[in-house]
Amino acid sequence: RCIASLLVLSCVAAMAEVRLPAIPDSITRPAARADWLTAHFWDDNDLATPGPALEEAFATFASLLPHASPDGRTEAARIFADRAPRDNGRREAISGIVESYLLDRHSPVHDEDAYALLASAMIARGWPGREAMEYLCAMTRMARPGTPAPDLTYTDRAGDTHTLAQTVGTVPTLLLFHSPGCGECEEMIATLCTDSDISRCVAEEKLRILAIAIYAPLEVWMAHEALPAGWLDGHTDTDPADAGYSVPYTPTLYLLDAAGNIILKDAALDEIKSVLPQAICPQ
């Protein structure tokens, strides 16, 4: 599977005019080949000129990283940080590319671990924007899949207070962080309402939707239109980061299993739907 993936990536790189160095024939193990490829990737690809060509090259580089060994990924990150131009302006532009490609949930190479690895190497070598990169690295460590969802207190429309720990259980929970008046949030809510698979799961009580309004005063949320029947509609004054959640923008979706453990973090709806059947009926 790994070899096939590398072959596909080679074809993608060729179409994007990204140059892949020729791996020596003496290297045969897939992980070792990926290690060599990521270590030498920037030998023939321009890392000095931010722009579309660099973005295409970085997307290919990011796609290769998961195939390398842990040591190989660390070495590739060190080389990347060392080989970039020295002037701060271009380094800031490259940092923006790294952030947008690895932390945006809509990116095909979205990978928080890869971001933390590259950002740590960039920080260690004195790149500008240290404080921002350290903050984003801290966000990648929050509420990771496979860990219990951090508890969170919220208020419902009747003014009663609840905790997430009291709410989850029995069935999976789709946790939606949104903000009243946010256009993208309203689009997401409408999409969830009209999605037949999601609606059926909620109607059959196989899925719980907990929508928590953030970044808005309680009175603003109370004046805003209530969410659909069957949803849990809540508000919190707590910054999600203070509660242990990474919410880089609204809306942000988390999927929790019936025991309250995180399955998906900052996930796209398509990703959630792809794992929902397994979450509802685990083997």
Side-chain angles (χ1 to χ4, degrees):
R1 183 181 301 172
C2 180
I3 294 173
S5 297
L6 290 175
L7 289 173
V8 171
L9 289 168
S10 297
C11 294
V12 171
M15 289 187 291
E17 299 183 355
V18 175
R19 299 172 182 173
L20 289 180
I23 304 172
D25 293 338
S26 59
I27 303 175
T28 57
R29 290 187 302 107
R33 291 175 68 83
D35 286 355
W36 193 96
L37 189 56
T38 54
H40 292 271
F41 183 87
W42 299 104
D43 290 354
D44 297 316
N45 288 295
D46 180 16
L47 188 50
T49 310
L54 176 54
E55 291 191 30
E56 291 175 351
F58 181 78
T60 302
F61 175 68
S63 298
L64 293 168
L65 279 177
H67 300 284
S69 68
D71 288 344
R73 291 193 292 271
T74 299
E75 178 64 7
R78 183 195 64 78
I79 293 170
F80 174 85
D82 281 341
R83 195 162 293 185
R86 297 289 176 180
D87 66 280
N88 285 345
R90 282 190 286 181
R91 284 191 167 186
E92 287 175 350
I94 294 170
S95 292
I97 292 171
V98 174
E99 179 182 338
S100 63
Y101 273 79
L102 296 180
L103 293 185
D104 188 332
R105 64 168 171 254
H106 300 296
S107 168
V109 292
H110 175 226
D111 188 333
E112 286 192 337
D113 290 338
Y115 177 82
L117 184 69
L118 289 172
S120 295
M122 292 151 62
I123 290 168
R125 282 148 188 84
W127 282 48
R130 178 189 184 102
E131 185 175 343
M133 286 190 285
E134 287 179 339
Y135 173 79
L136 291 173
C137 284
M139 293 296 103
T140 69
R141 295 190 290 270
M142 287 186 174
R144 292 181 64 83
T147 65
D151 205 5
L152 179 67
T153 300
Y154 65 94
T155 302
D156 66 18
R157 291 272 172 177
D160 295 325
T161 300
H162 308 270
T163 67
L164 181 65
Q166 295 167 339
T167 303
V168 300
T170 310
V171 297
T173 298
L174 182 58
L175 178 59
L176 166 65
F177 289 103
H178 69 104
S179 184
C182 161
E184 291 187 10
C185 298
E186 292 175 358
E187 290 179 11
M188 175 60 73
I189 291 167
T191 298
L192 290 171
C193 287
T194 57
D195 186 282
S196 58
D197 295 327
I198 298 291
S199 297
R200 183 178 64 255
C201 289
V202 173
E204 295 176 355
E205 298 185 349
K206 294 179 179 178
L207 176 69
R208 174 186 300 108
I209 297 182
L210 171 58
I212 297 183
I214 58 175
Y215 307 143
L218 179 63
E219 59 271 19
V220 171
W221 169 70
M222 289 293 289
H224 202 262
E225 183 179 357
L227 296 184
W231 291 25
L232 299 178
D233 187 3
H235 171 275
T236 184
D237 289 321
T238 303
D239 188 314
D242 292 338
Y245 288 93
S246 172
V247 181
Y249 29 61
T250 54
T252 291
L253 291 168
Y254 281 77
L255 180 62
L256 315 182
D257 67 17
N261 299 309
I262 297 170
I263 300 175
L264 294 175
K265 167 186 179 180
D266 184 19
L269 183 56
D270 287 346
E271 186 181 11
I272 288 170
K273 290 182 63 175
S274 70
V275 304
L276 196 54
Q278 174 65 23
I280 291 173
C281 299
Q283 299 298 318

